[in-house]
Amino acid sequence: MAEIKVKSYVVSDFGTNCYFVTNADTKEMLIVDPGDNAPMLATNIDKEQLKPVAILLTHGHLDHASAAEELAKKYGIKIYVHEAEKETLADARINLTGAFGTPKVFHADVFLKDDEVLELIGCKIKVLFTPGHTPGGCCYYFEEQKILFSGDTLFCESVGRTDFPGGSASGLIRSVREKLLCLPEDVRVYPGHMSQTTIGTEKMYNPFV
């Protein structure tokens, strides 16, 4: 089993967590949700001599996707997102760039399906389709390492907002209950905002689910 190191960087004015997920042996790495500040993220990648392999987006809101294209071009890598998030990327109203600045369109190279398993940086990564915060939101589950990147679906003792365009409160709660809380309790959860948690903690203390 590959040894994985996770390092977080807070990017954007919204306090978004961007994660570097690195194979400790090969230094191959994934970038999860680069929402802003591409120069800072690139500086840290180069300083640590990491080898970017792909960008994984949990969803297409501006605070998670804004720096993706710049980093993808710099390192010659592809951007991954769930197939149901195509409209979010392409619509400035749904991706929130229209509400918080200059309307923009985002893109991705690889569109994923629910329960698809990726093999990247020596790991198997399961795509969990978790709509509710956005129509095509997803989480990335490293089953062997017991790590979950939950985006804005699940937070520490909270859940994501559902009042943005395309959101669904009932859909989000169903996603959390049916796709995430069934995971082992010792799975470490790395959310899109705020602090880390575990599935066991959320099963016990999260008042929303």
Side-chain angles (χ1 to χ4, degrees), residues 139-151:
C139 301
Y140 297 99
Y141 178 41
F142 292 62
E143 185 172 4
E144 289 184 332
Q145 291 80 13
K146 291 189 174 181
I147 292 172
L148 178 78
F149 294 93
S150 64

Side-chain angles (χ1 to χ4, degrees), residues 53-67:
V53 169
I55 294 171
L56 304 182
L57 297 180
T58 59
H59 62 291
H61 279 164
L62 82 164
D63 59 321
H64 290 254
S66 289

Side-chain angles (χ1 to χ4, degrees), residues 1-2 4 116-127 140-147:
M1 179 178 72
I4 296 300
E116 183 173 346
V117 177
L118 306 173
E119 294 192 15
L120 299 168
I121 67 166
C123 297
K124 292 183 178 180
I125 307 159
K126 190 172 185 179
V127 179
Y140 297 99
Y141 178 41
F142 292 62
E143 185 172 4
E144 289 184 332
Q145 291 80 13
K146 291 189 174 181
I147 292 172

